[in-house]
Amino acid sequence: MSGQSLLVPGELSPARSVPGNIRRPEYVGKPAPTPYTGPEVQDSDTIERMRVAGRIAAQAMEEAAKHIAPGVTTDELDRVAHDFMIDHGAYPSTLGYRGYPKSLCSSVNEVICHGIPDSTVLRDGDIVNLDVTAYINGVHGDNNATYLCGDVDEESRLLVERTRESLVRAVKAVKPGRQINVIGRVIESYAKRFGYGVVRDFTGHGINSSFHSGLIIPHYDSPHATTVMQPGMTFTIEPMLTLGTHEYDMWEDGWTVVTKDRRRTAQFEHTLVVTETGADILTLP
């Protein structure tokens, strides 16, 4: 296990600007989004627009990831992704969502999710999750991945590789007619082989014109996730695996979620649509 010291909050830079000609999601400037009341099954036009949004989000994440290196701040990664989305006519979905102040989430080492980019300097041996969502043409595309910073210890590298593999297996389990809980069953059974914890309180979600539609995609075998998958349903799968407990604490910022035992955690995410035969990933660069 890496001997890195634990993270502490850094300094936030001023909010980044978005040109006025770029369409904002309806929740920007409001304390919360308007609850989604539309269908979980999307028409072909919506799906194709989501494919565009997903591609921009994936490319923005890739561009930011190129800058991951010891000595780089998480705020710099935010700047790169922000500028990329703006240059491609997209709005960074996280910016202003329930007051979130930045254009991506940067979750380092023991941070499970929703880490806020700031003056934190990446160190040799860190693992860094970037979570990027783009909004364009009225729809969202959401993805994340965990990256290695410099020379990372084997235990952490294996955690990252196996978390990526858990997402791959979960996507393959998507089939129309199956219940949503098959997704979590596949992830949890795979994670248990290695003694990993599976985060339960933060899940995948329905996504379309709404950032979070209300559909919940657990990453463990939940008896309550009995919704049957149908062609045209769009949602994210985003397993969060931990070296220790799945329990968590939250920082005073109200966003940053860290493992209760402060051991490391990794996450990967795609937005996908259920097809007649399986799943089509919408967040491919």
Side-chain angles (χ1 to χ4, degrees), residues 63-137:
E63 194 62 32
K66 292 176 184 176
H67 294 75
I68 291 175
V72 175
T73 65
T74 55
D75 189 64
E76 173 63 9
L77 304 179
D78 182 79
R79 183 197 64 77
V80 172
H82 177 94
D83 289 351
F84 186 95
M85 286 184 273
I86 298 306
D87 288 347
H88 288 77
Y91 185 91
S93 301
T94 59
L95 184 61
Y97 179 78
R98 296 183 181 271
Y100 187 84
K102 291 295 178 179
S103 298
L104 59 68
C105 299
S106 56
S107 301
V108 181
N109 296 344
E110 70 270 19
V111 179
I112 295 171
C113 58
H114 304 158
I116 301 175
D118 59 17
S119 62
T120 296
V121 176
L122 297 178
R123 301 162 297 182
D124 186 58
D126 283 342
I127 60 173
V128 187
N129 178 271
L130 300 182
D131 193 336
V132 180
T133 310
Y135 177 80
I136 189 170
N137 297 325

Side-chain angles (χ1 to χ4, degrees), residues 40-221:
E40 298 296 347
V41 172
Q42 306 303 310
D43 60 28
S44 58
D45 174 67
T46 302
I47 291 166
E48 289 312 305
R49 285 186 284 126
M50 289 182 66
R51 196 183 305 278
V52 172
R55 182 182 305 120
I56 292 172
Q59 291 172 339
M61 184 174 73
E62 276 197 342
E63 194 62 32
K66 292 176 184 176
H67 294 75
I68 291 175
V72 175
T73 65
T74 55
D75 189 64
E76 173 63 9
L77 304 179
D78 182 79
R79 183 197 64 77
V80 172
H82 177 94
D83 289 351
F84 186 95
M85 286 184 273
I86 298 306
D87 288 347
H88 288 77
Y91 185 91
S93 301
T94 59
L95 184 61
Y97 179 78
R98 296 183 181 271
Y100 187 84
K102 291 295 178 179
S103 298
L104 59 68
C105 299
S106 56
S107 301
V108 181
N109 296 344
E110 70 270 19
V111 179
I112 295 171
C113 58
H114 304 158
I116 301 175
D118 59 17
S119 62
T120 296
V121 176
L122 297 178
R123 301 162 297 182
D124 186 58
D126 283 342
I127 60 173
V128 187
N129 178 271
L130 300 182
D131 193 336
V132 180
T133 310
Y135 177 80
I136 189 170
N137 297 325
V139 296
H140 300 269
D142 185 5
N143 70 160
N144 76 55
T146 303
Y147 300 90
L148 309 181
C149 181
D151 184 17
V152 174
D153 66 274
E154 183 179 16
E155 185 179 44
S156 298
R157 285 192 292 104
L158 287 173
L159 173 68
V160 171
E161 290 173 15
R162 291 164 177 168
T163 306
R164 181 191 296 110
E165 175 64 17
S166 76
L167 174 59
V168 170
R169 290 173 180 238
V171 171
K172 288 179 179 176
V174 172
K175 295 284 191 301
R178 290 181 173 177
Q179 293 183 343
I180 290 290
N181 58 15
V182 71
I183 295 169
R185 189 176 309 137
V186 165
I187 293 167
E188 186 173 40
S189 63
Y190 180 70
K192 279 184 173 178
R193 292 191 199 176
F194 312 105
Y196 295 154
V198 181
V199 173
R200 301 167 77 92
D201 292 330
F202 299 90
T203 68
H205 53 88
I207 183 170
N208 37 66
S209 60
S210 172
F211 195 172
H212 299 86
S213 73
L215 178 66
I216 295 173
I217 312 296
H219 303 118
Y220 64 99
D221 188 4

